[in-house]
Amino acid sequence: TNRNKNNCIIQDMMIHDIDIINHLIPSCINNIFVHNDSQKDKIMCEIEFENNCFAEIKTERSKLINRENSERKIIITTNNDDQIIVDLLSKQIYWNKKELEKTITKPNALKNELTYFYESIEKNTKNQISMKSAFESATIASKIREKAKKILL
């Protein structure tokens, strides 16, 4: 799949990883670190939370998205030193380096999001995706982008 390289990789791809992390770690952020070897199409960052959890996000966009050329991982270290690795490209989940039986299915995320939005309107039901959650993810993405800009100068 060709990606539009004019879009910032953080808002284009990483923001979805941030959504996942916000859902899994219900804590405020202490600090955000962007790795010095980050590049325009490869951003690696670490988020430190107040509850002593850490989340590392690796997002890479190559010309062609495939397992050999790209990386898309979320690594979460809990305050109990457990480690969860979600490999979004190979669709595997690891708990303390042991592969779990469950794999990530490949839904059409955009179609599902639009269908959910349409059905919320049609059935007059409350949207389960809060504005607060969306705002928090956008704020974190903005902070990562600002820190990445300093490295990418």
Side-chain angles (χ1 to χ4, degrees), residues 85-137:
I85 300 173
V86 181
D87 188 328
L88 296 166
L89 291 182
S90 70
K91 298 173 182 52
Q92 298 296 312
I93 302 171
Y94 300 87
W95 182 276
N96 293 329
K97 300 192 179 185
K98 294 180 184 172
E99 185 177 346
L100 298 178
E101 294 291 322
K102 290 188 172 185
T103 58
I104 305 165
T105 58
K106 186 179 178 187
N108 183 332
L110 182 57
K111 180 181 176 186
N112 290 349
E113 192 172 320
L114 292 172
T115 301
Y116 175 77
F117 181 66
Y118 172 79
E119 288 176 355
S120 294
I121 294 169
E122 187 72 23
K123 296 175 183 174
N124 198 25
T125 58
K126 185 177 179 181
N127 186 340
Q128 296 301 313
I129 304 166
S130 73
M131 290 298 288
K132 180 181 177 196
S133 174
F135 179 76
E136 286 172 356
S137 293

Side-chain angles (χ1 to χ4, degrees), residues 16-114:
H16 305 290
D17 307 346
I18 295 167
D19 284 334
I20 293 168
I21 291 167
N22 277 340
H23 183 74
L24 294 175
I25 304 176
S27 181
C28 294
I29 292 176
N30 267 348
N31 212 338
I32 296 172
F33 307 95
V34 175
H35 293 225
N36 287 333
D37 51 350
S38 292
Q39 303 165 12
K40 179 179 183 250
D41 289 322
K42 182 178 183 178
I43 301 291
M44 296 170 290
C45 70
E46 189 173 302
I47 303 171
E48 176 187 355
F49 292 87
E50 286 181 357
N51 66 357
N52 294 324
C53 287
F54 291 87
E56 184 177 342
I57 309 172
K58 296 179 181 180
T59 304
E60 183 176 6
R61 172 176 55 199
S62 64
K63 185 173 181 182
L64 293 174
I65 302 292
N66 61 48
R67 290 184 197 141
E68 292 79 37
N69 295 333
S70 296
E71 187 170 27
R72 185 102 184 268
K73 288 184 181 176
I74 300 171
I75 302 169
I76 297 173
T77 305
T78 69
N79 48 10
N80 298 329
D81 288 328
D82 288 327
Q83 189 177 65
I84 303 161
I85 300 173
V86 181
D87 188 328
L88 296 166
L89 291 182
S90 70
K91 298 173 182 52
Q92 298 296 312
I93 302 171
Y94 300 87
W95 182 276
N96 293 329
K97 300 192 179 185
K98 294 180 184 172
E99 185 177 346
L100 298 178
E101 294 291 322
K102 290 188 172 185
T103 58
I104 305 165
T105 58
K106 186 179 178 187
N108 183 332
L110 182 57
K111 180 181 176 186
N112 290 349
E113 192 172 320
L114 292 172

